[in-house]
Amino acid sequence: MIALLVKHSLPFMFVAALAGFLLPAVSAFIFPYLPYVLFTLMLLTLLSMPPNDVLRCLATPRVWNYSLVHGAGFMMLLLVLNACISIDQNLMLAMVAVAATGSLFATPAIVRALGFDAIEAMAMTIATTLLLPVFIILTIYLFPTPDSALDMKAYGERLFVFILSPLMLSYLLRRLVAAELLSFLLNKVSKYTILLVFAFPFGLIGYFRTLWDSTPMLAYQYLLIAFALSALFFVVALLMYWKYGKEVALTAAITSGNRNVLLTFTIASGLLGPAFLPLAGAMQLPMYLLPAITKLLNRKL
């Protein structure tokens, strides 16, 4: 059964989002445990990558240029849109926060499942995650809410736990554990790492289901916005990186489309307004449809 899930992991991600929507009580039960799943996934993903190769890729201008587009570039696009079309401030805050969000740490596993080299995806994921704290502070500054007073001590603690500590722990484990033993353990668990990803769409979509039950028309609007944002992130990155070849372009596109909204919520907590979690939940449907679309695109192109 597990082997079947791993083999067909890309479509099952979307199925997990649908299951969470259909089982809102179970989704709500899973949600508080997602930060622990996030930490585990980040650590396993970091350990599964050759550190020297990732660092070499991380040192290239292309990765950091991508990271600026991934965050600041899309934030600016949404600010221009907000200047042209008056959008509710809570919803705009949520949209800009999604644009500020780094790539999902499952992205290298998804890219590997597509048959591409996951090293550049890992470098892009790390770079966008490192820039996330700056972009979140900028987002809160641009769209203040009554609860947006930032406690820098608490913010710093969350950054340390959920961003710096997985990086530090992966480094320490590589230094302290024999390479053969670590490689053996990783070979046993790494192919199942992608199964952890199923928890995110399942647990996050529950807040969207709550909005659906209470205000269906508003939920339709959020779902439309979620699909529009995912398409924007994917298509812009695809077009910008097409000059580097199909594989690089599709890698950049899927990395741009996969947004680690749970990490953003975890480190920013209640500073992102009431619209963020419903929008983050709605994002699960298009976001986990993208890997299957990318696989089809890869075959067609």
Side-chain angles (χ1 to χ4, degrees):
M1 180 63 181
I2 293 179
L4 179 67
L5 288 173
V6 172
K7 183 178 179 181
H8 301 287
S9 56
L10 297 181
F12 274 123
M13 291 178 194
F14 184 72
V15 172
L18 291 178
F21 182 82
L22 296 173
L23 301 168
V26 185
S27 176
F29 175 79
I30 294 292
F31 179 77
Y33 300 98
L34 290 182
Y36 304 104
V37 179
L38 173 65
F39 183 93
T40 304
L41 179 64
M42 291 174 71
L43 179 60
L44 288 175
T45 303
L46 287 166
L47 285 172
S48 67
M49 293 285 144
N52 292 335
D53 293 346
V54 174
L55 286 174
R56 275 195 294 270
C57 192
L58 192 60
T60 60
R62 186 167 78 184
V63 167
W64 289 100
N65 290 338
Y66 165 84
S67 302
L68 290 172
V69 172
H70 180 105
F74 285 113
M75 289 171 70
M76 289 179 64
L77 277 177
L78 292 177
L79 290 175
V80 171
L81 176 65
N82 189 47
C84 299
I85 306 172
S86 181
I87 299 174
D88 174 76
Q89 182 159 320
N90 284 325
L91 179 56
M92 196 64 207
L93 168 60
M95 291 168 62
V96 174
V98 168
T101 297
S103 185
L104 189 68
F105 258 74
T107 300
I110 294 171
V111 168
R112 192 185 292 115
L114 290 167
F116 298 158
D117 182 6
I119 298 297
E120 187 159 26
M122 184 75 254
M124 289 174 170
T125 299
I126 292 173
T128 56
T129 302
L130 291 175
L131 291 177
L132 170 63
V134 177
F135 292 150
I136 286 298
I137 290 176
L138 182 59
T139 299
I140 295 168
Y141 172 78
L142 290 171
F143 297 95
T145 67
D147 300 319
S148 63
L150 182 60
D151 182 342
M152 290 303 297
K153 182 175 182 294
Y155 187 63
E157 289 171 352
R158 290 192 291 268
L159 292 180
F160 177 80
V161 170
F162 288 100
I163 294 182
L164 294 180
S165 61
L167 294 168
M168 294 169 61
L169 187 55
S170 64
Y171 172 79
L172 288 174
L173 285 173
R174 287 188 178 279
R175 295 286 299 223
L176 298 176
V177 180
E180 295 80 6
L181 176 59
L182 188 60
S183 178
F184 172 78
L185 294 174
L186 286 173
N187 284 335
K188 289 293 184 183
V189 301
S190 62
K191 62 182 177 180
Y192 302 117
T193 300
I194 201 165
L195 294 179
L196 292 175
V197 184
F198 294 166
F200 298 121
F202 187 90
L204 278 167
I205 202 169
Y207 280 89
F208 174 67
R209 174 60 190 266
T210 300
L211 180 65
W212 182 284
D213 289 338
S214 62
T215 320
M217 289 306 298
L218 185 60
Y220 280 119
Q221 293 177 27
Y222 275 50
L223 187 60
L224 181 62
I225 290 168
F227 270 91
L229 286 176
S230 293
L232 175 69
F233 298 151
F234 186 90
V235 171
V236 170
L238 182 71
L239 294 176
M240 285 187 64
Y241 283 83
W242 188 255
K243 61 184 177 182
Y244 296 110
K246 180 189 73 170
E247 183 172 328
V248 173
L250 287 174
T251 297
I254 196 67
T255 305
S256 183
N258 287 337
R259 300 276 164 156
N260 198 346
V261 289
L262 176 65
L263 179 60
T264 298
F265 176 76
T266 302
I267 67 171
S269 191
L271 302 175
L272 302 176
F276 183 78
L277 278 177
L279 181 61
M283 290 288 297
Q284 302 311 298
L285 290 168
M287 194 164 71
Y288 288 99
L289 194 58
L290 284 180
I293 292 173
T294 306
K295 189 173 185 177
L296 289 174
L297 268 179
N298 184 42
R299 288 176 181 171
K300 294 292 184 183
L301 295 174

